[in-house]
Amino acid sequence: MKRLFAIISLAAVLFGCSSDKSYVIEGTLYGAASFEGETIYMVPFGSSSTEGQDSAVISNGRFVFEGTAERPEVCELRVRPMMRLFLDRDKFVIIKEPGHLWVALSKQSTARGTALNDSLQVWREYKYKADSVFSAISKQMKVAKLKGDDSSEIEALEMKYETFKNTFIKHNKEVAERNDNVFGDYIEHYAR
């Protein structure tokens, strides 16, 4: 009888955990003292309206969103444009999904703690590195043009840029194909 009770209890716990759709998104903000009392918004990705919007007030450099997610959804955390001076941008993409997510908004923002957001963070770090390479090659091309370097050197830099761009696009397509979910759908947006 004890064994049957243990099995039923275990099944109830497992079933209860698998059907839990609650999420908590805890965040910190670089330069937080400047933004005490400001509002941060969570809106569906790409939305220009306030439909589906949630908000949290920044208190002691922290913010919290809590709720339920029936299904994973790509969202943006938005701050007012002036706050962008302290952050990498005024919008930061996360995936609202069941679980506990930790977000750090800064010059190189991060989000970790749930499966899809961990995957998104790995991709985001790849993109940060790729952006650095794109920027470096662009600067080299600009300097070469300003110095009046011969066209073969400029063409070599342009070819290097195009090759890297194609590698970046290919990587994104592969990531999107391996992830048949909202994360893959989001990455496919960048694979064009």
Side-chain angles (χ1 to χ4, degrees):
M1 187 66 164
K2 287 182 184 177
R3 186 180 226 183
L4 178 62
F5 179 74
I7 291 172
I8 291 172
S9 296
L10 180 61
V13 168
L14 291 175
F15 179 74
C17 290
S18 65
S19 65
D20 185 14
K21 297 179 187 231
S22 64
Y23 68 85
V24 176
I25 301 168
E26 287 189 69
T28 58
L29 191 68
Y30 175 80
S34 304
F35 306 119
E36 186 70 18
E38 291 275 353
T39 302
I40 188 165
Y41 298 93
M42 180 169 56
V43 298
F45 177 71
S47 174
S48 58
S49 74
T50 58
E51 187 177 324
Q53 175 176 291
D54 193 1
S55 63
V57 174
I58 299 165
S59 176
N60 296 320
R62 301 186 173 286
F63 59 89
V64 177
F65 291 96
E66 294 182 86
T68 57
E70 292 301 315
R71 57 180 171 61
E73 177 184 14
V74 179
C75 293
E76 295 173 338
L77 296 180
R78 293 183 184 170
V79 296
R80 68 181 174 91
M82 188 63 175
M83 294 170 73
R84 193 176 174 177
L85 297 172
F86 294 87
L87 309 175
D88 58 347
R89 56 188 47 100
D90 58 352
K91 300 175 188 174
F92 181 69
V93 174
I94 61 160
I95 299 173
K96 181 172 68 173
E97 64 178 317
H100 201 125
L101 178 63
W102 287 271
V103 175
L105 297 179
S106 66
K107 287 291 184 185
Q108 200 162 32
S109 300
T110 60
R112 297 192 187 276
T114 60
L116 293 174
N117 282 288
D118 289 349
S119 295
L120 179 57
Q121 186 61 36
V122 168
W123 176 82
R124 188 180 287 121
E125 288 168 7
Y126 172 79
K127 185 177 182 317
Y128 285 147
K129 289 176 186 173
D131 288 347
S132 292
V133 172
F134 283 127
S135 178
I137 297 170
S138 293
K139 285 178 186 174
Q140 289 174 341
M141 284 192 295
K142 185 176 181 179
V143 168
K145 289 176 182 176
L146 287 173
K147 286 178 21 185
D149 288 348
D150 66 32
S151 62
S152 63
E153 186 172 334
I154 294 170
E155 286 173 12
L157 287 169
E158 288 171 345
M159 182 181 287
K160 183 177 180 182
Y161 186 91
E162 284 302 310
T163 300
F164 189 75
K165 182 173 110 179
N166 291 335
T167 301
F168 179 72
I169 291 169
K170 181 181 178 196
H171 172 79
N172 288 347
K173 286 181 180 177
E174 289 170 356
V175 169
E177 288 170 4
R178 284 193 313 265
N179 292 279
D180 187 21
N181 51 39
V182 296
F183 165 63
D185 294 345
Y186 172 74
I187 298 305
E188 190 172 10
H189 171 74
Y190 286 96
R192 293 184 225 160

